[in-house]
Amino acid sequence: GKEKPYHINMKKLIILFTAFLFTFAPVWGQHSKNADLDKRLQISIRTLTTNKNLEMQRTLRQETDINLLKDISWQEFLRLNEKAKERLLASTRLEAKALELELKENPNMVFSPQIEYKNAAPDYSHAFTHKYIFISENISHDTKSAPQEVINILKAARNARPNAKILLAQEFLIWTGESNASLLKKPGQNSELYSGYPEVTQAADKLGIDQLALDDAPYYAEDKNVFVKLGKFLVEVTPQDKLPLLSYTECDDPLYNRWASAYQFIGISPFGVLERNYQWARRIKAVEKNYDLILVYAGSGHLSNTSSNDLQTLLKCKDFAHIELLPTDPIDQAVEKDYETRFLKGEQYGITNDQQQNQEESRLQEQATRGTIYKQSLDQIAEETYQSYKNWKNKKLPLWFSLTKEDLLQANPNYKTPNALKNDIVFHCIYAVILAEPRVEQEQKPEVCPAPKTMPIGPKHKSYI
């Protein structure tokens, strides 16, 4: 999982070594020649940098080129979604089997040492020793406290790494289909990207942090058919397709209602989550080499679902920090009802399988851990969390704890990797942050009823309106 700097930086190494030789070589009256070499060297360095930037821009542009997408029907989406459901359950079962093997080989293994919640501003300093920091937002995307804490993390990152090139890649910065919009936003640069959390976007701008849009929401339609962009696919939904519909009270346009409903259900489906994660990984990989520190902000379903589907796995990250934000904001009744309706309809129409997945995961974990010290340590953490939450004194500050690689190794000094497993247990830095209620009431965003965007004319897409 470690980088190979010699392989990755070979061209750069050769150029720097050449520069070293010419800098210290005897001049002997050849000053003009060396000056020419210096110029050529500078041009070579600029060319390499330019080529790298052009390659990055080309990759990002391909992500927004509608003519490169593969058209699939709603029926084809449902077929692919069934395969994704099977993959998710298979992954859950494999992980449970791996845990069972680990516990047989390590009967004294604990999940973690005894934890101690602190009621204070979190100290994220250990997180910034890793190149990647994944920030997962739990419960829903409609809290105020989660984005406020992300702003605190961004400030802490800039203070800890004042000269670092920092990137914030987030699910909540979205491409809406504008043909000239760049997925990469530079600080202070005007952008046509949509920000679900404008306060986070503004804070990143002020801190000199670049931002990368991970998700898409272009509203495409042709006559009565609507189209949802999903990674490298374009899913077409017709009025005849059995699509569950959600209610959009401020927008009674049937076409928009169908598109927005399709967008929601496709996005939360097992196939949708996986394809979106593949897309996010492609975009992050395209810009990865340009940054010293990369923060990824997304919902927990993308970062802590099953290891085979998680963004960390798709990015091949082995050494990273994970900050899990657990909001305690009172949820608006209307918002809560919308989430409940979406869940019930998703399960009823067989688009999602959250209930089956959760039941299977619980059953397998219980089966693998029953009667073990590991299970006792899990129960102990649950009890400590409950007691800390119950005795939470200063509600203006979060409750949090962190675990590092050193903590885990100290708790399991005799850990042995079972022969059946190829890799050692992955250790990284983990933070769990129970957030205080927000300082400011959430502003209600007025719902708008947009018109469909014009799709570009090309060999595959011609008469879209």
Side-chain angles (χ1 to χ4, degrees), residues 47-106:
T47 302
L48 276 176
T49 304
T50 302
N51 288 344
K52 186 170 70 172
N53 288 336
L54 287 173
E55 183 183 354
M56 176 190 76
Q57 290 167 16
R58 185 163 54 248
T59 303
L60 293 182
R61 274 201 303 271
Q62 287 175 352
E63 288 290 321
T64 58
D65 188 344
I66 203 73
N67 289 301
L68 297 177
L69 300 181
K70 180 182 179 182
D71 293 26
I72 60 173
S73 65
W74 175 254
Q75 289 73 25
E76 178 68 2
F77 158 73
L78 292 176
R79 187 186 69 79
L80 292 170
N81 195 41
E82 287 303 313
K83 295 181 86 171
K85 286 186 200 175
E86 291 169 10
R87 169 188 167 129
L88 200 57
L89 284 170
S91 178
T92 299
R93 289 166 186 149
L94 284 172
E95 287 167 30
K97 188 64 179 175
L99 177 59
E100 190 177 328
L101 290 170
E102 282 185 295
L103 294 177
K104 281 183 180 176
E105 187 75 31
N106 304 277

Short mmCIF file of all heavy atoms in Angstrom, two decimals, residues 47-106:
data_model
loop_
_atom_site.label_atom_id
_atom_site.label_comp_id
_atom_site.label_asym_id
_atom_site.label_seq_id
_atom_site.Cartn_x
_atom_site.Cartn_y
_atom_site.Cartn_z
N THR A 47 7.43 21.98 -18.99
CA THR A 47 6.71 21.09 -19.91
C THR A 47 6.10 19.92 -19.16
O THR A 47 4.94 19.55 -19.38
CB THR A 47 7.65 20.58 -21.01
OG1 THR A 47 8.20 21.70 -21.71
CG2 THR A 47 6.89 19.68 -21.99
N LEU A 48 6.90 19.32 -18.25
CA LEU A 48 6.38 18.20 -17.46
C LEU A 48 5.18 18.61 -16.63
O LEU A 48 4.17 17.91 -16.57
CB LEU A 48 7.48 17.65 -16.54
CG LEU A 48 8.46 16.65 -17.17
CD1 LEU A 48 9.53 16.29 -16.15
CD2 LEU A 48 7.74 15.39 -17.63
N THR A 49 5.29 19.79 -15.99
CA THR A 49 4.19 20.29 -15.17
C THR A 49 2.96 20.56 -16.01
O THR A 49 1.84 20.21 -15.65
CB THR A 49 4.63 21.59 -14.45
OG1 THR A 49 5.80 21.32 -13.70
CG2 THR A 49 3.54 22.08 -13.51
N THR A 50 3.16 21.18 -17.19
CA THR A 50 2.06 21.48 -18.09
C THR A 50 1.37 20.21 -18.56
O THR A 50 0.15 20.11 -18.58
CB THR A 50 2.56 22.29 -19.31
OG1 THR A 50 3.18 23.49 -18.84
CG2 THR A 50 1.41 22.65 -20.24
N ASN A 51 2.20 19.19 -18.95
CA ASN A 51 1.64 17.92 -19.42
C ASN A 51 0.81 17.24 -18.33
O ASN A 51 -0.24 16.67 -18.61
CB ASN A 51 2.76 16.99 -19.89
CG ASN A 51 3.38 17.46 -21.20
OD1 ASN A 51 2.80 18.29 -21.90
ND2 ASN A 51 4.55 16.94 -21.52
N LYS A 52 1.32 17.32 -17.09
CA LYS A 52 0.60 16.70 -15.98
C LYS A 52 -0.74 17.40 -15.76
O LYS A 52 -1.77 16.75 -15.55
CB LYS A 52 1.45 16.78 -14.70
CG LYS A 52 0.86 16.04 -13.51
CD LYS A 52 1.84 15.95 -12.36
CE LYS A 52 2.07 17.30 -11.72
NZ LYS A 52 2.86 17.22 -10.47
N ASN A 53 -0.74 18.73 -15.85
CA ASN A 53 -1.99 19.49 -15.68
C ASN A 53 -2.97 19.22 -16.82
O ASN A 53 -4.17 19.10 -16.60
CB ASN A 53 -1.69 20.99 -15.59
CG ASN A 53 -1.04 21.36 -14.27
OD1 ASN A 53 -1.20 20.65 -13.28
ND2 ASN A 53 -0.31 22.46 -14.24
N LEU A 54 -2.44 19.11 -18.05
CA LEU A 54 -3.30 18.83 -19.19
C LEU A 54 -3.94 17.45 -19.07
O LEU A 54 -5.12 17.27 -19.38
CB LEU A 54 -2.49 18.92 -20.50
CG LEU A 54 -2.10 20.33 -20.96
CD1 LEU A 54 -1.17 20.26 -22.16
CD2 LEU A 54 -3.34 21.15 -21.30
N GLU A 55 -3.15 16.47 -18.61
CA GLU A 55 -3.68 15.12 -18.43
C GLU A 55 -4.79 15.11 -17.38
O GLU A 55 -5.83 14.48 -17.55
CB GLU A 55 -2.55 14.18 -18.00
CG GLU A 55 -3.00 12.73 -17.85
CD GLU A 55 -1.88 11.83 -17.36
OE1 GLU A 55 -0.73 12.32 -17.25
OE2 GLU A 55 -2.15 10.66 -17.09
N MET A 56 -4.58 15.85 -16.29
CA MET A 56 -5.58 15.96 -15.23
C MET A 56 -6.86 16.61 -15.77
O MET A 56 -7.96 16.11 -15.55
CB MET A 56 -5.02 16.79 -14.07
CG MET A 56 -6.00 17.05 -12.95
SD MET A 56 -5.36 18.25 -11.76
CE MET A 56 -5.59 19.78 -12.69
N GLN A 57 -6.70 17.71 -16.50
CA GLN A 57 -7.86 18.42 -17.04
C GLN A 57 -8.62 17.55 -18.04
O GLN A 57 -9.86 17.56 -18.07
CB GLN A 57 -7.41 19.72 -17.70
CG GLN A 57 -6.92 20.78 -16.71
CD GLN A 57 -6.21 21.93 -17.39
OE1 GLN A 57 -6.32 22.10 -18.60
NE2 GLN A 57 -5.46 22.71 -16.62
N ARG A 58 -7.87 16.79 -18.86
CA ARG A 58 -8.51 15.92 -19.84
C ARG A 58 -9.35 14.85 -19.15
O ARG A 58 -10.48 14.57 -19.55
CB ARG A 58 -7.44 15.27 -20.73
CG ARG A 58 -8.00 14.43 -21.87
CD ARG A 58 -6.96 14.15 -22.94
NE ARG A 58 -5.76 13.56 -22.39
CZ ARG A 58 -4.57 14.18 -22.35
NH1 ARG A 58 -4.45 15.40 -22.83
NH2 ARG A 58 -3.52 13.58 -21.84
N THR A 59 -8.80 14.25 -18.09
CA THR A 59 -9.53 13.21 -17.35
C THR A 59 -10.80 13.79 -16.72
O THR A 59 -11.87 13.17 -16.78
CB THR A 59 -8.64 12.61 -16.24
OG1 THR A 59 -7.45 12.10 -16.83
CG2 THR A 59 -9.35 11.50 -15.51
N LEU A 60 -10.69 14.97 -16.14
CA LEU A 60 -11.85 15.59 -15.51
C LEU A 60 -12.90 16.00 -16.54
O LEU A 60 -14.11 15.91 -16.28
CB LEU A 60 -11.43 16.79 -14.67
CG LEU A 60 -10.57 16.49 -13.43
CD1 LEU A 60 -10.27 17.76 -12.66
CD2 LEU A 60 -11.25 15.47 -12.52
N ARG A 61 -12.45 16.45 -17.71
CA ARG A 61 -13.41 16.82 -18.77
C ARG A 61 -14.18 15.60 -19.26
O ARG A 61 -15.37 15.70 -19.58
CB ARG A 61 -12.68 17.49 -19.94
CG ARG A 61 -12.48 19.00 -19.77
CD ARG A 61 -12.23 19.68 -21.10
NE ARG A 61 -11.08 19.11 -21.80
CZ ARG A 61 -9.83 19.52 -21.65
NH1 ARG A 61 -9.56 20.52 -20.82
NH2 ARG A 61 -8.84 18.95 -22.32
N GLN A 62 -13.51 14.45 -19.32
CA GLN A 62 -14.19 13.23 -19.76
C GLN A 62 -15.33 12.86 -18.81
O GLN A 62 -16.31 12.25 -19.23
CB GLN A 62 -13.18 12.08 -19.83
CG GLN A 62 -12.22 12.19 -21.01
CD GLN A 62 -11.15 11.11 -20.98
OE1 GLN A 62 -11.03 10.36 -20.01
NE2 GLN A 62 -10.36 11.03 -22.04
N GLU A 63 -15.17 13.23 -17.54
CA GLU A 63 -16.21 12.92 -16.55
C GLU A 63 -17.50 13.69 -16.81
O GLU A 63 -18.56 13.30 -16.33
CB GLU A 63 -15.70 13.27 -15.14
CG GLU A 63 -14.64 12.33 -14.61
CD GLU A 63 -15.18 10.94 -14.29
OE1 GLU A 63 -16.31 10.86 -13.78
OE2 GLU A 63 -14.49 9.95 -14.56
N THR A 64 -17.43 14.78 -17.56
CA THR A 64 -18.62 15.59 -17.83
C THR A 64 -19.00 15.59 -19.31
O THR A 64 -19.79 16.41 -19.75
CB THR A 64 -18.39 17.05 -17.36
OG1 THR A 64 -17.24 17.58 -18.04
CG2 THR A 64 -18.15 17.11 -15.87
N ASP A 65 -18.44 14.65 -20.08
CA ASP A 65 -18.75 14.55 -21.51
C ASP A 65 -19.90 13.57 -21.69
O ASP A 65 -19.73 12.35 -21.55
CB ASP A 65 -17.53 14.09 -22.29
CG ASP A 65 -17.74 14.16 -23.80
OD1 ASP A 65 -18.92 14.26 -24.23
OD2 ASP A 65 -16.74 14.10 -24.54
N ILE A 66 -21.08 14.08 -22.00
CA ILE A 66 -22.27 13.26 -22.09
C ILE A 66 -22.18 12.24 -23.23
O ILE A 66 -22.80 11.18 -23.21
CB ILE A 66 -23.52 14.17 -22.26
CG1 ILE A 66 -24.78 13.44 -21.80
CG2 ILE A 66 -23.67 14.65 -23.68
CD1 ILE A 66 -24.87 13.29 -20.32
N ASN A 67 -21.36 12.54 -24.25
CA ASN A 67 -21.24 11.64 -25.39
C ASN A 67 -20.42 10.40 -25.08
O ASN A 67 -20.40 9.45 -25.88
CB ASN A 67 -20.63 12.38 -26.58
CG ASN A 67 -21.60 13.40 -27.16
OD1 ASN A 67 -22.68 13.04 -27.59
ND2 ASN A 67 -21.22 14.66 -27.14
N LEU A 68 -19.73 10.39 -23.96
CA LEU A 68 -18.94 9.22 -23.57
C LEU A 68 -19.72 8.26 -22.69
O LEU A 68 -19.21 7.20 -22.32
CB LEU A 68 -17.66 9.66 -22.83
CG LEU A 68 -16.68 10.51 -23.62
CD1 LEU A 68 -15.50 10.91 -22.74
CD2 LEU A 68 -16.18 9.76 -24.86
N LEU A 69 -20.96 8.62 -22.34
CA LEU A 69 -21.75 7.79 -21.43
C LEU A 69 -22.42 6.64 -22.18
O LEU A 69 -22.73 6.75 -23.37
CB LEU A 69 -22.82 8.63 -20.73
CG LEU A 69 -22.32 9.81 -19.89
CD1 LEU A 69 -23.50 10.52 -19.24
CD2 LEU A 69 -21.34 9.34 -18.84
N LYS A 70 -22.66 5.56 -21.46
CA LYS A 70 -23.36 4.42 -22.02
C LYS A 70 -24.84 4.50 -21.63
O LYS A 70 -25.16 4.55 -20.45
CB LYS A 70 -22.76 3.11 -21.50
CG LYS A 70 -23.45 1.87 -22.05
CD LYS A 70 -22.86 0.59 -21.47
CE LYS A 70 -23.60 -0.64 -22.01
NZ LYS A 70 -23.07 -1.89 -21.42
N ASP A 71 -25.72 4.53 -22.63
CA ASP A 71 -27.16 4.61 -22.36
C ASP A 71 -27.68 3.25 -21.89
O ASP A 71 -27.40 2.22 -22.52
CB ASP A 71 -27.93 4.98 -23.63
CG ASP A 71 -27.62 6.39 -24.08
OD1 ASP A 71 -26.53 6.87 -23.75
OD2 ASP A 71 -28.46 7.01 -24.75
N ILE A 72 -28.42 3.24 -20.79
CA ILE A 72 -29.09 2.02 -20.36
C ILE A 72 -30.53 2.35 -19.97
O ILE A 72 -30.83 3.46 -19.57
CB ILE A 72 -28.36 1.33 -19.18
CG1 ILE A 72 -28.30 2.24 -17.96
CG2 ILE A 72 -26.99 0.84 -19.58
CD1 ILE A 72 -27.75 1.55 -16.71
N SER A 73 -31.40 1.35 -20.10
CA SER A 73 -32.80 1.54 -19.75
C SER A 73 -32.99 1.33 -18.25
O SER A 73 -32.10 0.84 -17.55
CB SER A 73 -33.67 0.53 -20.52
OG SER A 73 -33.35 -0.79 -20.08
N TRP A 74 -34.19 1.67 -17.77
CA TRP A 74 -34.53 1.45 -16.36
C TRP A 74 -34.47 -0.06 -16.05
O TRP A 74 -34.00 -0.46 -14.99
CB TRP A 74 -35.93 1.99 -16.10
CG TRP A 74 -36.47 1.72 -14.72
CD1 TRP A 74 -37.43 0.82 -14.39
CD2 TRP A 74 -36.06 2.35 -13.50
NE1 TRP A 74 -37.67 0.85 -13.03
CE2 TRP A 74 -36.84 1.78 -12.46
CE3 TRP A 74 -35.13 3.33 -13.18
CZ2 TRP A 74 -36.71 2.17 -11.13
CZ3 TRP A 74 -35.01 3.72 -11.86
CH2 TRP A 74 -35.79 3.14 -10.84
N GLN A 75 -34.90 -0.90 -17.00
CA GLN A 75 -34.86 -2.34 -16.80
C GLN A 75 -33.42 -2.84 -16.68
O GLN A 75 -33.11 -3.71 -15.87
CB GLN A 75 -35.57 -3.07 -17.95
CG GLN A 75 -37.08 -2.93 -17.98
CD GLN A 75 -37.54 -1.54 -18.43
OE1 GLN A 75 -36.80 -0.84 -19.14
NE2 GLN A 75 -38.72 -1.13 -18.01
N GLU A 76 -32.53 -2.29 -17.51
CA GLU A 76 -31.11 -2.67 -17.44
C GLU A 76 -30.50 -2.21 -16.12
O GLU A 76 -29.69 -2.92 -15.51
CB GLU A 76 -30.35 -2.07 -18.63
CG GLU A 76 -28.85 -2.35 -18.65
CD GLU A 76 -28.51 -3.81 -18.90
OE1 GLU A 76 -29.43 -4.63 -19.11
OE2 GLU A 76 -27.31 -4.13 -18.89
N PHE A 77 -30.89 -1.03 -15.67
CA PHE A 77 -30.42 -0.55 -14.37
C PHE A 77 -30.84 -1.52 -13.27
O PHE A 77 -30.04 -1.88 -12.39
CB PHE A 77 -30.97 0.85 -14.08
CG PHE A 77 -31.01 1.19 -12.61
CD1 PHE A 77 -29.84 1.47 -11.92
CD2 PHE A 77 -32.21 1.18 -11.91
CE1 PHE A 77 -29.87 1.75 -10.56
CE2 PHE A 77 -32.25 1.46 -10.56
CZ PHE A 77 -31.07 1.74 -9.88
N LEU A 78 -32.13 -1.97 -13.30
CA LEU A 78 -32.61 -2.89 -12.27
C LEU A 78 -31.84 -4.21 -12.30
O LEU A 78 -31.54 -4.80 -11.25
CB LEU A 78 -34.11 -3.15 -12.46
CG LEU A 78 -35.05 -1.97 -12.19
CD1 LEU A 78 -36.49 -2.34 -12.51
CD2 LEU A 78 -34.93 -1.47 -10.75
N ARG A 79 -31.49 -4.68 -13.51
CA ARG A 79 -30.71 -5.92 -13.62
C ARG A 79 -29.32 -5.76 -13.02
O ARG A 79 -28.85 -6.60 -12.25
CB ARG A 79 -30.60 -6.33 -15.10
CG ARG A 79 -29.96 -7.70 -15.33
CD ARG A 79 -29.76 -7.98 -16.82
NE ARG A 79 -28.73 -7.14 -17.39
CZ ARG A 79 -27.41 -7.36 -17.26
NH1 ARG A 79 -26.97 -8.38 -16.55
NH2 ARG A 79 -26.54 -6.55 -17.82
N LEU A 80 -28.67 -4.66 -13.35
CA LEU A 80 -27.33 -4.38 -12.80
C LEU A 80 -27.40 -4.16 -11.29
O LEU A 80 -26.48 -4.51 -10.55
CB LEU A 80 -26.73 -3.15 -13.48
CG LEU A 80 -26.36 -3.33 -14.97
CD1 LEU A 80 -26.03 -1.98 -15.59
CD2 LEU A 80 -25.19 -4.29 -15.12
N ASN A 81 -28.51 -3.60 -10.83
CA ASN A 81 -28.69 -3.35 -9.40
C ASN A 81 -28.80 -4.66 -8.62
O ASN A 81 -28.31 -4.78 -7.50
CB ASN A 81 -29.92 -2.48 -9.17
CG ASN A 81 -29.96 -1.89 -7.78
OD1 ASN A 81 -28.94 -1.44 -7.25
ND2 ASN A 81 -31.12 -1.89 -7.16
N GLU A 82 -29.46 -5.67 -9.22
CA GLU A 82 -29.55 -6.97 -8.57
C GLU A 82 -28.17 -7.59 -8.40
O GLU A 82 -27.87 -8.19 -7.37
CB GLU A 82 -30.46 -7.91 -9.39
CG GLU A 82 -31.93 -7.57 -9.31
CD GLU A 82 -32.47 -7.57 -7.88
OE1 GLU A 82 -32.19 -8.53 -7.13
OE2 GLU A 82 -33.14 -6.58 -7.50
N LYS A 83 -27.32 -7.43 -9.41
CA LYS A 83 -25.95 -7.94 -9.30
C LYS A 83 -25.17 -7.20 -8.22
O LYS A 83 -24.37 -7.79 -7.49
CB LYS A 83 -25.23 -7.81 -10.66
CG LYS A 83 -25.84 -8.65 -11.76
CD LYS A 83 -25.09 -8.50 -13.06
CE LYS A 83 -23.92 -9.44 -13.14
NZ LYS A 83 -23.29 -9.47 -14.47
N ALA A 84 -25.42 -5.89 -8.11
CA ALA A 84 -24.74 -5.09 -7.08
C ALA A 84 -25.20 -5.50 -5.68
O ALA A 84 -24.41 -5.53 -4.73
CB ALA A 84 -25.00 -3.60 -7.30
N LYS A 85 -26.49 -5.85 -5.54
CA LYS A 85 -27.00 -6.34 -4.26
C LYS A 85 -26.30 -7.64 -3.86
O LYS A 85 -25.90 -7.83 -2.70
CB LYS A 85 -28.51 -6.60 -4.35
CG LYS A 85 -29.40 -5.40 -4.38
CD LYS A 85 -30.84 -5.90 -4.32
CE LYS A 85 -31.81 -4.87 -4.82
NZ LYS A 85 -33.18 -5.40 -4.86
N GLU A 86 -26.15 -8.54 -4.84
CA GLU A 86 -25.47 -9.82 -4.58
C GLU A 86 -24.02 -9.57 -4.17
O GLU A 86 -23.51 -10.23 -3.27
CB GLU A 86 -25.52 -10.69 -5.85
CG GLU A 86 -26.92 -11.19 -6.19
CD GLU A 86 -26.98 -11.83 -7.57
OE1 GLU A 86 -25.90 -12.05 -8.18
OE2 GLU A 86 -28.10 -12.09 -8.06
N ARG A 87 -23.37 -8.63 -4.83
CA ARG A 87 -21.99 -8.30 -4.49
C ARG A 87 -21.89 -7.78 -3.06
O ARG A 87 -20.98 -8.14 -2.31
CB ARG A 87 -21.46 -7.25 -5.47
CG ARG A 87 -20.12 -6.65 -5.08
CD ARG A 87 -19.75 -5.48 -5.97
NE ARG A 87 -18.63 -4.73 -5.39
CZ ARG A 87 -17.53 -4.43 -6.06
NH1 ARG A 87 -17.38 -4.79 -7.30
NH2 ARG A 87 -16.57 -3.74 -5.47
N LEU A 88 -22.86 -6.94 -2.68
CA LEU A 88 -22.85 -6.35 -1.34
C LEU A 88 -23.01 -7.43 -0.27
O LEU A 88 -22.27 -7.44 0.73
CB LEU A 88 -23.97 -5.32 -1.24
CG LEU A 88 -23.90 -4.26 -0.15
CD1 LEU A 88 -22.64 -3.45 -0.26
CD2 LEU A 88 -25.11 -3.34 -0.23
N LEU A 89 -23.95 -8.34 -0.48
CA LEU A 89 -24.16 -9.42 0.48
C LEU A 89 -22.96 -10.37 0.52
O LEU A 89 -22.54 -10.82 1.59
CB LEU A 89 -25.43 -10.19 0.13
CG LEU A 89 -26.74 -9.49 0.48
CD1 LEU A 89 -27.94 -10.21 -0.13
CD2 LEU A 89 -26.93 -9.37 1.99
N ALA A 90 -22.38 -10.66 -0.66
CA ALA A 90 -21.21 -11.53 -0.72
C ALA A 90 -20.04 -10.90 0.03
O ALA A 90 -19.30 -11.58 0.75
CB ALA A 90 -20.83 -11.80 -2.17
N SER A 91 -19.87 -9.59 -0.14
CA SER A 91 -18.80 -8.88 0.56
C SER A 91 -18.99 -8.94 2.06
O SER A 91 -18.05 -9.16 2.83
CB SER A 91 -18.76 -7.42 0.08
OG SER A 91 -17.76 -6.70 0.77
N THR A 92 -20.24 -8.74 2.51
CA THR A 92 -20.55 -8.80 3.95
C THR A 92 -20.20 -10.18 4.51
O THR A 92 -19.63 -10.30 5.60
CB THR A 92 -22.04 -8.49 4.18
OG1 THR A 92 -22.31 -7.17 3.71
CG2 THR A 92 -22.40 -8.57 5.64
N ARG A 93 -20.55 -11.22 3.76
CA ARG A 93 -20.28 -12.59 4.22
C ARG A 93 -18.78 -12.88 4.26
O ARG A 93 -18.28 -13.53 5.18
CB ARG A 93 -21.00 -13.58 3.31
CG ARG A 93 -22.52 -13.56 3.52
CD ARG A 93 -23.26 -14.27 2.42
NE ARG A 93 -24.71 -14.10 2.60
CZ ARG A 93 -25.59 -14.06 1.62
NH1 ARG A 93 -25.18 -14.16 0.36
NH2 ARG A 93 -26.88 -13.91 1.87
N LEU A 94 -18.05 -12.40 3.25
CA LEU A 94 -16.59 -12.61 3.23
C LEU A 94 -15.92 -11.90 4.40
O LEU A 94 -14.99 -12.44 5.01
CB LEU A 94 -16.01 -12.11 1.90
CG LEU A 94 -16.25 -13.00 0.68
CD1 LEU A 94 -15.81 -12.29 -0.59
CD2 LEU A 94 -15.51 -14.33 0.82
N GLU A 95 -16.38 -10.69 4.70
CA GLU A 95 -15.79 -9.94 5.82
C GLU A 95 -16.08 -10.63 7.15
O GLU A 95 -15.21 -10.67 8.04
CB GLU A 95 -16.33 -8.50 5.82
CG GLU A 95 -15.76 -7.67 4.69
CD GLU A 95 -16.52 -6.37 4.50
OE1 GLU A 95 -17.06 -5.83 5.48
OE2 GLU A 95 -16.56 -5.88 3.35
N ALA A 96 -17.29 -11.18 7.29
CA ALA A 96 -17.63 -11.91 8.51
C ALA A 96 -16.76 -13.16 8.65
O ALA A 96 -16.29 -13.50 9.74
CB ALA A 96 -19.11 -12.29 8.51
N LYS A 97 -16.52 -13.86 7.53
CA LYS A 97 -15.67 -15.05 7.54
C LYS A 97 -14.23 -14.69 7.91
O LYS A 97 -13.57 -15.40 8.68
CB LYS A 97 -15.71 -15.73 6.16
CG LYS A 97 -15.01 -17.08 6.11
CD LYS A 97 -15.70 -18.09 7.00
CE LYS A 97 -15.03 -19.44 6.95
NZ LYS A 97 -15.62 -20.40 7.91
N ALA A 98 -13.75 -13.56 7.36
CA ALA A 98 -12.39 -13.10 7.68
C ALA A 98 -12.27 -12.77 9.17
O ALA A 98 -11.26 -13.10 9.80
CB ALA A 98 -12.05 -11.87 6.83
N LEU A 99 -13.30 -12.14 9.72
CA LEU A 99 -13.29 -11.82 11.15
C LEU A 99 -13.28 -13.11 11.98
O LEU A 99 -12.56 -13.22 12.98
CB LEU A 99 -14.50 -10.96 11.50
CG LEU A 99 -14.69 -10.60 12.98
CD1 LEU A 99 -13.48 -9.83 13.52
CD2 LEU A 99 -15.97 -9.78 13.17
N GLU A 100 -14.07 -14.08 11.55
CA GLU A 100 -14.12 -15.36 12.26
C GLU A 100 -12.74 -16.03 12.27
O GLU A 100 -12.29 -16.56 13.30
CB GLU A 100 -15.14 -16.26 11.56
CG GLU A 100 -15.48 -17.53 12.33
CD GLU A 100 -16.55 -18.34 11.62
OE1 GLU A 100 -17.41 -17.76 10.95
OE2 GLU A 100 -16.49 -19.59 11.74
N LEU A 101 -12.05 -16.00 11.14
CA LEU A 101 -10.70 -16.58 11.05
C LEU A 101 -9.72 -15.83 11.95
O LEU A 101 -8.87 -16.45 12.62
CB LEU A 101 -10.21 -16.54 9.60
CG LEU A 101 -10.90 -17.48 8.61
CD1 LEU A 101 -10.48 -17.17 7.19
CD2 LEU A 101 -10.56 -18.94 8.96
N GLU A 102 -9.84 -14.52 11.97
CA GLU A 102 -8.94 -13.71 12.82
C GLU A 102 -9.14 -14.03 14.30
O GLU A 102 -8.17 -14.14 15.06
CB GLU A 102 -9.20 -12.22 12.58
CG GLU A 102 -8.58 -11.68 11.32
CD GLU A 102 -8.77 -10.19 11.20
OE1 GLU A 102 -9.91 -9.73 11.06
OE2 GLU A 102 -7.75 -9.47 11.24
N LEU A 103 -10.40 -14.18 14.69
CA LEU A 103 -10.69 -14.44 16.11
C LEU A 103 -10.27 -15.85 16.52
O LEU A 103 -9.91 -16.08 17.68
CB LEU A 103 -12.17 -14.21 16.39
CG LEU A 103 -12.64 -12.76 16.24
CD1 LEU A 103 -14.14 -12.64 16.46
CD2 LEU A 103 -11.90 -11.83 17.19
N LYS A 104 -10.31 -16.79 15.59
CA LYS A 104 -9.81 -18.14 15.90
C LYS A 104 -8.30 -18.12 16.08
O LYS A 104 -7.75 -18.80 16.96
CB LYS A 104 -10.20 -19.10 14.76
CG LYS A 104 -11.64 -19.57 14.83
CD LYS A 104 -11.95 -20.56 13.72
CE LYS A 104 -13.41 -21.02 13.81
NZ LYS A 104 -13.76 -21.92 12.68
N GLU A 105 -7.62 -17.36 15.25
CA GLU A 105 -6.16 -17.26 15.34
C GLU A 105 -5.73 -16.39 16.51
O GLU A 105 -4.65 -16.57 17.08
CB GLU A 105 -5.62 -16.67 14.02
CG GLU A 105 -4.10 -16.65 13.90
CD GLU A 105 -3.52 -18.02 13.62
OE1 GLU A 105 -4.20 -18.83 12.98
OE2 GLU A 105 -2.39 -18.27 14.07
N ASN A 106 -6.59 -15.41 16.88
CA ASN A 106 -6.27 -14.45 17.94
C ASN A 106 -7.41 -14.43 18.96
O ASN A 106 -8.21 -13.49 18.98
CB ASN A 106 -6.06 -13.05 17.36
CG ASN A 106 -4.99 -13.01 16.29
OD1 ASN A 106 -3.81 -12.93 16.58
ND2 ASN A 106 -5.40 -13.08 15.03
#
